[in-house]
Amino acid sequence: MNTQSEISILPAHVAIIMDGNGRWAKLRGEPRNKGHRQGVKSVKNIVKTCISKGVSTLTLFAFSSENWKRPRTEVSLLMELFLTALGSELRELDKNGVRLRFIGDRSDIPAKVQRAMENAEIQTTDNQNLTLVIAVSYGGQWDIKQAVQQLARRIEAGELTADEINERHIADNLSTVEIPPPDLFIRTGGERRISNFLLWQLAYTELYFTDTLWPDFDDQAFSEALDDYAKRQRRYGMTPEQTQAKQVSHA
Ligand code: FPP
C-alpha cells in the first residue's frame, strides 16, 4: 500500500513524446514500421503501468501537425496502426476503466480513423481509472490558434471584450479543457525539445529527457523517470522557503 508521501510525489498527469521508433528499427536493420509496431507494445505497457500505479491522466503524442510531412507510405501506415490498435485494444481499455480522449486537428485525419476515435470516446466516456489522451494531428501552436479563434468569435459576437480575456479563458478554449496540466513531461529518444507539443499546458511541468528509444521504454525506464520527478521541488515562481512552508501547511 502507498504511504501518504508516496501518493503526493506521484505525478497525476504524465505527458510523453514517444520518440525513437525509427532508430530502434534501423539499429536492427528493420523497416521503420517495425519500430512503430514495437512502439504500440510500449504504449500498451505504459497504459497498464499507469493504471496500476494510480496515475490519473496519460497524454501521448502519437502524431504531430508536422508528421504529415513524412513520406505518404509512413503516414498511411501510422493511420492504419492507430485504427488497428483502436480496433484490437478498445474492449480491453474499456474493461480496465480507461477513458479515451483525442486532441488535435481532426479535419485532415481519414474519415474512418475519425469515426473510430469518436466511437472510442463515446464508449469510454464514463470510465474513471485513467484518462488516456492521444494527440493525433496535434500541434501546440495549432491548439493556441484555435483557442484564439474561438475567443475572437465571442468578441465579434459582443459576448466578450479584449480586456476581459484572462489565462482561464485561454485554457478553457484549448483542446485539453477539463484536463489538468501535466505534472511530468517525458521525451524518449535523446532529443531535448518540446517540438510543438503542449506549449501552454507545459508552463510549470517538470521536464525529463532520456536517451532510451520509445520501444525500449519499459517499466524500469518509467520508474527512473518517476523517481527523478519525486526529487524535484516544484516552486511555481515562489522561493524555496515559501514552497516548503506551503508543503508543510498542506501535509
Ligand atoms: C516517433 O518515432 C514516433 C511517432 C511519430 C509515432 C508514434 C506512434 C506510436 C508509438 C505507435 C502508435 C501509437 C498509439 C497511441 C496507438 P520516430 O519515427 O520519429 O523515430 P525516429 O526519431 O527514431 O525516426
Side-chain angles (χ1 to χ4, degrees), residues 18-24 32 36 39-40 43 60-62 67 70 74 78 81-82 85 134 214:
M18 311 176 286
D19 201 6
N21 294 347
R23 277 165 288 158
W24 184 93
R32 292 177 61 80
H36 294 314
V40 175
V43 169
L60 299 175
F61 206 3
N67 285 152
R70 290 196 175 194
E74 183 165 342
L78 281 167
L81 206 56
F82 299 146
I134 303 185
W214 177 248

Side-chain angles (χ1 to χ4, degrees), residues 35-117:
H36 294 314
R37 286 183 209 289
Q38 197 66 26
V40 175
K41 293 188 184 162
S42 281
V43 169
K44 282 194 222 170
N45 186 56
I46 209 84
V47 168
K48 237 173 38 202
T49 307
C50 282
I51 297 171
S52 69
K53 284 189 182 290
V55 170
S56 29
T57 307
L58 173 67
T59 299
L60 299 175
F61 206 3
F63 192 90
S64 74
S65 311
E66 290 71 33
N67 285 152
W68 292 111
K69 296 182 206 145
R70 290 196 175 194
R72 282 245 305 268
T73 47
E74 183 165 342
V75 170
S76 312
L77 180 117
L78 281 167
M79 290 298 149
E80 280 303 320
L81 206 56
F82 299 146
L83 202 58
T84 315
L86 264 182
S88 63
E89 300 305 321
L90 184 58
R91 186 203 284 254
E92 188 72 8
L93 289 167
D94 195 18
K95 213 172 76 190
N96 283 290
V98 176
R99 180 169 73 118
L100 268 156
R101 286 257 317 250
F102 293 90
I103 55 171
D105 183 358
R106 298 193 188 194
S107 60
D108 289 327
I109 297 175
K112 60 182 178 180
V113 182
Q114 283 189 42
R115 276 198 299 275
M117 286 159 58

Side-chain angles (χ1 to χ4, degrees), residues 133-157:
V133 183
I134 303 185
V136 185
S137 189
Y138 181 86
Q141 292 178 344
W142 163 83
D143 204 359
I144 293 170
K145 179 206 74 175
Q146 66 77 30
V148 170
Q149 285 174 330
Q150 292 188 60
L151 291 171
R153 280 187 207 107
R154 287 184 55 196
I155 293 174
E156 281 174 357

